[in-house]
Every structure is written in C-alpha cells, then in structure tokens.
Amino acid sequence: MASSRAADRIRRSKVVDYYKILEITPRATQQEVKSAYYKQSLQYHPDHNPNDAAAKRKYEAVTEAYAVLGQPHLRNRYDRSVTGITQTVVRDPRMRNQPGRNVRSAFTGESTHYNFNEWYQQHHGEARKREQVRRKNIEKIRKEQEEIADSESGLWVLASGPLIGLLIYYLSHNQW
C-alpha cells in the first residue's frame, strides 16, 4: 500500500518539481532537505494559518515533496524519472580539508555530520564493556560449578565402591 502511494507521488511528480517546492537544489544533502521541510511546514502549517486555503495547499505540497525527497530510495527514483540524474553527489564544504571524506551520496543515508557508531561507543561503550566482563565471569563461574559437580559425583562413585565392598564382606562373614 505504501509503495503504491510512493509510486503515485513519483508519477505525479513528473509535472511537479519538488526541489522548487522545498526551495533547494537537487544537490542538497538529506539534512538540507529535512531542514527546508521543517522550516516551510512550520511556516505554512494549517494550525498557524487557519482559514488560509493557499497556506494549506502549500503545506500539502511541501509535505508531499518531503515524502519523496526525504526518503533516499524515493529521492533516487524521483531523480532518475524526472531530472535524469542517476545519483547526486554532495560535497560538504566543512570537510574540504579531508579528501575522500567529503563526498557522500545523498541517497545512502550516510552523513559526514553524524556517526551513530561513534556516538553509541561514546555513550554506551563502558556499559557494554562491563556487560561483556560480567557475562564472561558468569560463564566462568558456571563452568567451575559444572567441574565441581562432575568431580564430586566421580568421588562419590569412587568412594561408594569400597564402602559397598566392606558392607558385603561384613554381612557375609557375620551371621546374624
């Protein structure tokens, strides 16, 4: 259902330029698309403009444009069908001095601004290490307990053999 709606949007988009609606260029990053959407959706939102039909239509157009351009796979399809661009390469001007790191595809969802793995490591790294150490200790204790249980059962078998032999000897030599 959702993919058919997306396909309908892209078919209709052949006459609509979503980049113009959001007032951005086709080379805008995903962050710039999002920022333009938030800015315009706040400006034209029906709650901020009651009884204004033009603002409502503009808000609906902005929302539809973001529905396509805000999702990398739909943006890629839109660009291929409307503009003929096969892939948009975005250069982040803040990364000028780091060759190889400043080129990102607008459709991969990669960002030079935000590294989730790095953030996760910074915020949860110590807790993760503590959890790994705790799990190793639990596993070590479990193995030690198994070894003790195995050795105790082996001792019981070894100790019970002579005891049974003594009992049989005593019973067989002593007549009641």
Side-chain angles (χ1 to χ4, degrees), residues 24-91:
I24 57 175
T25 67
R27 295 202 174 264
T29 64
Q30 287 300 111
Q31 185 62 37
E32 291 169 338
V33 171
K34 186 177 184 179
S35 177
Y37 166 71
Y38 282 144
K39 179 182 172 188
Q40 290 189 27
S41 67
L42 187 64
Q43 180 180 356
Y44 297 112
H45 197 279
D47 290 346
H48 295 292
N49 301 295
N51 303 324
D52 187 356
K56 182 180 179 184
R57 284 192 303 275
K58 180 70 174 175
Y59 175 77
E60 290 171 352
V62 166
T63 302
E64 183 177 325
Y66 183 68
V68 173
L69 299 181
Q71 299 180 36
H73 68 282
L74 292 178
R75 183 178 178 182
N76 193 14
R77 285 179 56 190
Y78 171 79
D79 285 343
R80 281 184 290 167
S81 67
V82 175
T83 63
I85 298 172
T86 57
Q87 186 177 23
T88 303
V89 176
V90 178
R91 294 192 183 274

Side-chain angles (χ1 to χ4, degrees), residues 82-115:
V82 175
T83 63
I85 298 172
T86 57
Q87 186 177 23
T88 303
V89 176
V90 178
R91 294 192 183 274
D92 187 349
R94 290 176 286 180
M95 302 296 285
R96 245 182 262 140
N97 297 329
Q98 297 180 8
R101 291 204 55 201
N102 62 341
V103 178
R104 293 287 187 253
S105 170
F107 310 113
T108 61
E110 288 182 321
S111 172
T112 58
H113 309 293
Y114 186 75
N115 183 341

